[in-house]
Amino acid sequence: MKLEKVVFTVLVLLIGTYFSALFFLPGNKVVFYLKPLFVPLFLVYAILKNGFVFPKPYFYFVLFFYLGQTFMLFSDNSGRVLQLALVFYVMFYFALINLSLPLIRGKHFKTVFTKLTTFVILLNAFFLFLIVYIMFETATDIIVNYIAIFNATAALALMICAVVYLSSETDKKSFLYFCGAITLILSDVFSAINVYYINVFTLNILEIILHFGGFYLIYLFVIEKGKPDEIDF
């Protein structure tokens, strides 16, 4: 068996164990320690399968994604750790934006806002800043509140880039990026609702699925071949 298949099998077993523990052993320590293993194992699998073909911005995206979700695991009893986790999430948004910018021409930004996409962007802006309002009403850490504003702003910038890219290049690559960006933003929205408004088990599961689903969609976007005239990373 090839090494990449071994790594993939281990990853699938860990994910299966993780979700089984969430459903049947709530509060079990195994859940706490398994989650930080997913991203490094997946990255090893991706490199073994595809080689070192990934652009540098993708590795920044993976690094900040991993640091954000790992620090968030340890943030329950430390405000400083929570602040760091949120900062890493802001940075991973900007790293994700940087993946699409080389593929978007300046003229695309001038034309996209004359279409239905303006409504989509404004609707997302409303939901993002509604979450920020909820956090300001419920959270006691003023630093966390202001980081949340940067987080929402970065998420909105990501949404604009995703919409512009999809509008300018309606192919599989742009569709994967758009879906990945939307999924990751929704994951953060559900996470904020779950932490600061209502704590629902189903919502927590949905947030986790969207979190890693979006991560996987961005991986598919990166390995998908674009048009010959696209700008390289």
Side-chain angles (χ1 to χ4, degrees):
M1 183 182 291
K2 292 183 179 180
L3 184 57
E4 68 185 65
K5 292 184 179 179
V6 173
V7 174
F8 181 75
T9 301
V10 172
L11 180 61
V12 170
L13 289 174
L14 284 176
I15 292 174
T17 304
Y18 176 78
F19 279 100
S20 297
L22 280 178
F23 280 103
F24 302 111
L25 300 170
N28 193 289
K29 290 280 186 179
V30 70
V31 175
F32 189 79
Y33 293 112
L34 284 181
K35 196 175 180 182
L37 299 176
F38 295 162
V39 171
L41 272 176
F42 180 81
L43 187 60
V44 170
Y45 163 75
I47 291 174
L48 288 173
K49 182 177 177 61
N50 302 283
F52 290 92
V53 298
F54 300 98
K56 188 181 293 184
Y58 178 73
F59 288 105
Y60 286 123
F61 161 74
V62 172
L63 175 63
F64 295 136
F65 180 94
Y66 176 73
L67 290 175
Q69 59 111 12
T70 302
F71 272 72
M72 191 63 75
L73 286 176
F74 297 92
S75 65
D76 288 346
N77 301 316
S78 174
R80 293 296 182 190
V81 174
L82 176 60
Q83 292 168 13
L84 276 173
L86 292 175
V87 167
F88 285 129
Y89 275 121
V90 173
M91 294 171 73
F92 111 74
Y93 273 141
F94 281 115
L96 185 50
I97 289 170
N98 197 35
L99 278 172
S100 67
L101 284 180
L103 307 175
I104 303 173
R105 311 303 197 275
K107 63 181 181 180
H108 296 147
F109 285 97
K110 297 177 182 178
T111 59
V112 70
F113 295 107
T114 62
K115 304 175 184 177
L116 181 64
T117 50
T118 303
F119 173 75
V120 176
I121 292 170
L122 291 176
L123 186 63
N124 277 272
F126 170 76
F127 283 114
L128 286 170
F129 286 98
L130 180 63
I131 295 301
V132 172
Y133 174 77
I134 292 172
M135 291 181 67
F136 264 83
E137 288 294 309
T138 56
T140 57
D141 189 334
I142 191 66
I143 296 177
V144 167
N145 288 338
Y146 284 113
I147 296 174
I149 293 176
F150 283 109
N151 191 293
T153 304
L156 182 59
L158 172 61
M159 170 56 59
I160 292 171
C161 287
V163 170
V164 171
Y165 182 33
L166 182 63
S167 300
S168 61
E169 301 286 350
T170 52
D171 56 7
K172 183 178 179 181
K173 191 174 180 71
S174 62
F175 184 73
L176 286 169
Y177 182 84
F178 177 81
C179 291
I182 291 289
T183 302
L184 287 168
I185 291 171
L186 284 176
S187 171
D188 273 4
V189 169
F190 288 143
S191 177
I193 293 173
N194 207 40
V195 171
Y196 295 101
Y197 192 59
I198 52 172
N199 190 359
V200 180
F201 177 76
T202 306
L203 198 60
N204 184 41
I205 295 295
L206 180 60
E207 179 262 319
I208 294 169
I209 293 173
L210 289 174
H211 195 64
F212 288 106
F215 179 80
Y216 183 69
L217 286 170
I218 297 302
Y219 157 74
L220 294 178
F221 154 74
V222 171
I223 64 172
E224 177 70 22
K225 293 183 178 180
K227 294 179 181 179
D229 60 343
E230 281 186 333
I231 303 172
D232 292 333
F233 289 102

